[in-house]
Amino acid sequence: MAKDMTDSLSWVRLNVGGKLFCTTIGTLTLREPDSMLAAMFSGRHTLKHEDGYVLIDRDGDYFGYILNWLRDGDVPALEAHAYKQLLKEAEYFQLSGLIDGIQISDFTRIEVIKCIQSSVTRFRGVNLSGLDLSKLDLSSIDFSYACLRNVSFSCANLYRARFWKADIDGATFCDSDLRESVFTKAKIGGVSFVGANLERTNFSCANLEGATFCDSDLRESVFTEAKIGGVSFVGANLGANLRDTNFSRANLERTNFSRANLSGAFHKGAFSPDYTRRVIFDNATLEKCEFVKSNIREASLTSARLINCSFVEADLSNANLQDADVTNTNLEGAILKQASMMGIKLSNTNLKGAIL
């Protein structure tokens, strides 16, 4: 057995608190070489065996998370109480990387509710990771600089909430009310906003890579200089009302706008006789984006990079495409009536069936 312990490819069977596992010596030793597990399976120690299994007297329910960490380096998404138990196991096995990665909330759901009932409106810089805050009234709460990883805000009232520079990776805002909220410079990778009301929300300079806005209402929202690569806006409503949805200078590579409503209706009102409501993509990077069957009437795409995009059957009536680069872009069946196309780059562009 000692000989096997020197071979990282050798398999070993474990009985941890009555639960059985099978893994390799490499998994147990390579990611955390200074851990107790690495020492146990270094070949220098005699281990207790029974029926071919190495016996370890620890909580088997959490050892699976330990193994997945050692295999992939991914910290699991758990409830706050489960994180506390996992942290105990990580500390026992001296897994410093996992210990650093575990985020323990400073509050429980009940404590957050009590704070709100006591008129507390600031959670600046606190750690609320992993909490279930769904269906709560969190309107006007200040979450700036807070750690909100994997928090559930589903169906919550977050009207005018502030998330300035907050870490919100993996959180869920499905069907929540986020009107006029602020996410400026927030880290929002992989967050779900499915069905959320995000009217007049500010995402300026935020990192939204991999987020999902399917079927959400994003009218009048601002995305200036945001990182939006790989985001899904399928079925979202980005049509502007009173002022523009602004993606100026934003990086939107691989973003999916299929079936999204990004239209801007011409409006004559008290503020200006020629005030236009439209979505702005001026100077934005939109390479490999999907706009299939999207409504983009009157959108401003001046000098935008639209290389390898798909606008199949999209409505671009009255859109401003001046100086835009649509190289290798598919505009088959697109409606381009009265669109401004002065200086547009059309190299290898598919205009089959397009209505000009």
Side-chain angles (χ1 to χ4, degrees):
M1 187 69 182
K3 182 179 179 180
D4 290 339
M5 295 302 179
T6 65
D7 184 358
S8 64
L9 298 179
S10 294
W11 286 82
V12 61
R13 294 188 293 179
L14 309 173
N15 183 333
V16 184
K19 290 188 176 293
L20 307 181
F21 301 90
C22 189
T23 187
T24 66
I25 298 299
T27 294
L28 295 168
T29 61
L30 295 180
R31 183 174 298 279
E32 298 267 12
D34 298 323
S35 69
M36 180 185 291
L37 283 171
M40 289 172 61
F41 292 91
S42 64
R44 301 190 302 269
H45 302 280
T46 300
L47 303 175
K48 186 176 181 179
H49 294 77
E50 185 176 288
D51 298 328
Y53 287 86
V54 176
L55 300 181
I56 300 177
D57 187 18
R58 294 302 297 179
D59 191 332
D61 290 334
Y62 286 87
F63 194 76
Y65 298 124
I66 298 287
L67 275 185
N68 286 336
W69 157 256
L70 292 171
R71 289 166 178 150
D72 307 317
D74 294 332
V75 178
L78 302 173
E79 298 292 334
H81 70 278
Y83 272 133
K84 291 179 181 178
Q85 184 59 42
L86 180 59
L87 182 60
K88 288 182 182 179
E89 299 304 306
E91 289 172 341
Y92 176 82
F93 290 115
Q94 300 172 18
L95 301 169
S96 58
L98 180 55
I99 292 169
D100 291 341
I102 294 174
Q103 300 288 327
I104 302 295
S105 176
D106 295 332
F107 292 82
T108 65
R109 177 183 170 92
I110 296 299
E111 288 170 341
V112 171
I113 293 172
K114 288 180 178 179
C115 287
I116 297 168
Q117 292 172 339
S118 301
S119 300
V120 172
T121 60
R122 295 181 61 172
F123 288 90
R124 290 173 65 93
V126 302
N127 185 353
L128 299 173
S129 57
L131 284 188
D132 178 7
L133 300 180
S134 61
K135 302 180 182 179
L136 297 182
D137 185 354
L138 301 166
S139 54
S140 300
I141 297 292
D142 186 357
F143 292 106
S144 299
Y145 301 98
C147 180
L148 303 169
R149 294 182 185 179
N150 303 308
V151 171
S152 174
F153 289 104
S154 296
C155 301
N157 179 8
L158 291 153
Y159 176 63
R160 288 190 173 178
R162 295 179 296 284
F163 298 91
W164 174 277
K165 288 190 176 181
D167 184 351
I168 319 175
D169 281 358
T172 303
F173 291 88
C174 297
D175 298 312
S176 60
D177 184 352
L178 284 153
R179 289 171 298 153
E180 300 183 25
S181 54
V182 177
F183 288 90
T184 303
K185 296 185 179 181
K187 186 179 178 183
I188 319 177
V191 172
S192 175
F193 292 97
V194 174
N197 187 341
L198 292 149
E199 292 184 68
R200 300 178 298 281
T201 296
N202 190 340
F203 290 102
S204 297
C205 302
N207 184 350
L208 288 153
E209 295 188 56
T212 302
F213 290 91
C214 297
D215 300 314
S216 61
D217 190 342
L218 283 153
R219 288 174 293 173
E220 306 178 47
S221 295
V222 177
F223 292 88
T224 305
E225 297 189 48
K227 294 180 67 176
I228 316 179
V231 172
S232 175
F233 289 97
V234 175
N237 184 1
L238 291 115
N241 180 19
L242 300 180
R243 66 182 184 185
D244 299 336
T245 302
N246 196 330
F247 290 96
S248 297
R249 299 185 302 281
N251 185 341
L252 293 134
E253 292 186 45
R254 306 181 315 282
T255 296
N256 190 339
F257 289 97
S258 299
R259 296 188 293 103
N261 178 12
L262 299 103
S263 66
F266 185 77
H267 173 69
K268 292 184 179 180
F271 299 103
S272 170
D274 294 315
Y275 186 83
T276 58
R277 300 179 294 172
R278 58 187 176 178
V279 177
I280 299 176
F281 291 103
D282 294 343
N283 298 294
T285 298
L286 291 149
E287 295 184 31
K288 299 181 181 179
C289 287
E290 296 283 337
F291 290 90
V292 177
K293 296 184 178 180
S294 292
N295 182 352
I296 323 175
R297 292 193 299 271
E298 301 185 21
S300 182
L301 294 145
T302 303
S303 300
R305 288 175 58 84
L306 301 165
I307 300 170
N308 295 310
C309 289
S310 176
F311 288 91
V312 175
E313 298 183 25
D315 189 347
L316 286 151
S317 302
N318 297 298
N320 187 354
L321 292 160
Q322 185 172 338
D323 297 319
D325 188 347
V326 293
T327 303
N328 295 321
T329 289
N330 190 353
L331 286 160
E332 184 174 349
I335 301 173
L336 292 158
K337 290 182 178 179
Q338 298 182 330
S340 176
M341 302 175 69
M342 185 179 297
I344 193 171
K345 297 178 182 178
L346 290 165
S347 178
N348 203 31
T349 298
N350 180 11
L351 289 165
K352 183 180 178 181
I355 302 173
L356 302 170

